[in-house]
């Protein structure tokens, strides 16, 4: 299949004619879909944190993504096998996803042996996951919840910046040092305490319907 035909295939597969992502609720209005998606995924992130998941491999990222977005998108939690770009930034090719996954799993295995991770440890993981960009949509939100769960399992709480522009710019240039400076870590030294505080923060920040 040629590149042009390949692109046309995935546009038709994922998008309605007006450019809105195809979804289980058949919402055709892009702004309405974004609002419902944001509220729904945030609420499900709170439920996810209550379950205190353990993080070992990318499979847990797939679980997180499906838990947050599976109610809305049929492809939630599925690793992409097609190319994807955003704002002229090309993510890891679809046919090389397995190599990216292996690399991240090795990083997770190595870093999970540490008692506490540093800002640079989390920044490196976030950078690699961003480049992998395994899903059609919702990569940023699911990867942050994924890393927050990883941190909580080490008795730590990660706080990401509210304004996302700086983080996106740092990720697009793979500036790990800049990413690390935008991440704040609090050491609580207890898995239970970390998940408790993380759940409280997520609940306070959870958007509500009017």
């Amino acid at each position: 299949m040629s590149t042009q035909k390949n692109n046309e295939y995935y546009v038709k597969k994922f998008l309605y004619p007006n450019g809105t992502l195809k979804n289980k609720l058949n919402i055709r209005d892009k702004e309405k879909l974004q609002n419902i998606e944001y509220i729904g995924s945030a609420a499900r992130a709170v439920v996810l944190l209550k379950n205190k998941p353990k993080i070992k491999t990318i499979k847990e990222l797939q679980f997180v993504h499906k838990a947050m977005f599976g109610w809305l998108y049929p492809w939630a939690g599925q690793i992409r096998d097609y190319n994807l770009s955003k704002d002229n930034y090309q993510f890891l090719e679809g046919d090389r996803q397995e190599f990216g996954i292996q690399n991240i799993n090795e990083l997770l295995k190595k870093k999970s042996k540490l008692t506490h991770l540093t800002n640079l440890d989390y920044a490196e993981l976030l950078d690699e996951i961003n480049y992998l960009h395994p899903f059609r949509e919702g990569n940023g939100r699911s990867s942050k919840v994924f890393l927050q769960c990883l941190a909580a399992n080490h008795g730590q709480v990660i706080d990401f910046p509210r304004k996302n522009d700086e983080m996106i710019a740092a990720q697009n240039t793979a500036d790990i040092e800049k990413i690390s400076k935008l991440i704040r870590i609090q050491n609580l030294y207890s898995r239970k305490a970390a998940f408790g505080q993380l759940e409280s923060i997520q609940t306070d920040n959870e958007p509500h319907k009017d």
Side-chain angles (χ1 to χ4, degrees):
M1 187 182 293
S2 69
T3 300
Q4 183 177 356
K5 288 184 178 180
N6 189 50
N7 290 339
E8 290 174 356
Y9 170 79
Y10 285 108
V11 167
K12 187 174 181 180
K13 178 179 180 179
F14 290 111
L15 303 177
Y16 293 120
N18 69 349
T20 303
L21 273 171
K22 291 182 178 180
N23 57 87
K24 293 180 179 181
L25 303 182
N26 201 29
I27 297 171
R28 305 295 182 106
D29 183 278
K30 188 177 293 187
E31 185 175 349
K32 181 180 179 181
L33 177 63
Q34 288 175 341
N35 289 336
I36 289 176
E37 177 197 286
Y38 180 65
I39 293 170
S41 62
R44 284 160 177 79
V46 173
V47 174
L48 182 69
L49 293 173
K50 289 180 184 291
N51 292 324
K52 302 176 177 60
K54 292 185 178 180
I55 304 300
K56 294 182 179 180
T57 69
I58 284 294
K59 286 189 180 296
E60 282 72 52
L61 176 59
Q62 291 179 257
F63 172 78
V64 168
H65 191 272
K66 188 169 184 178
M68 290 178 67
F69 299 99
W71 59 281
L72 189 57
Y73 300 120
W75 40 262
Q78 298 175 12
I79 302 294
R80 65 181 172 88
D81 58 359
Y82 48 89
N83 293 345
L84 187 65
S85 62
K86 189 173 183 180
D87 299 328
N88 296 318
Y89 182 84
Q90 181 68 51
F91 300 109
L92 184 65
E93 295 90 338
D95 60 3
R96 296 186 63 214
Q97 287 286 297
E98 190 57 40
F99 295 103
I101 288 171
Q102 290 176 5
N103 183 47
I104 293 171
N105 283 342
E106 284 299 318
L107 280 174
L108 285 168
K109 184 178 180 181
K110 177 182 177 181
K111 295 182 186 302
S112 290
K113 294 177 181 179
L114 303 173
T115 302
H116 291 103
L117 281 69
T118 66
N119 295 56
L120 280 171
D121 288 318
Y122 291 116
E124 184 178 5
L125 283 166
L126 186 59
D127 176 63
E128 290 289 343
I129 294 172
N130 177 66
Y131 183 49
L132 181 71
H133 229 70
F135 313 114
R136 177 61 181 78
E137 189 63 49
N139 290 277
R141 283 166 287 173
S142 59
S143 62
K144 287 175 182 176
V145 172
F146 173 79
L147 289 177
Q148 285 175 323
C149 290
L150 173 66
N153 278 291
H154 287 265
Q156 297 177 301
V157 174
I158 297 180
D159 186 21
F160 295 101
R162 287 286 186 92
K163 293 184 178 180
N164 211 29
D165 293 347
E166 279 190 284
M167 180 64 80
I168 291 174
Q171 288 178 310
N172 286 348
T173 56
D175 191 338
I176 296 177
E177 187 173 342
K178 180 66 178 294
I179 294 172
S180 72
K181 290 178 180 178
L182 294 171
I183 296 173
R184 288 182 293 176
I185 297 175
Q186 182 180 2
N187 292 317
L188 298 183
Y189 303 101
S190 163
R191 182 176 184 271
K192 182 178 179 180
F195 267 111
Q197 182 164 317
L198 189 58
E199 182 186 329
S200 177
I201 292 170
Q202 191 76 27
T203 301
D204 289 343
N205 292 336
E206 184 182 354
H208 300 282
K209 295 180 181 180
D210 294 333

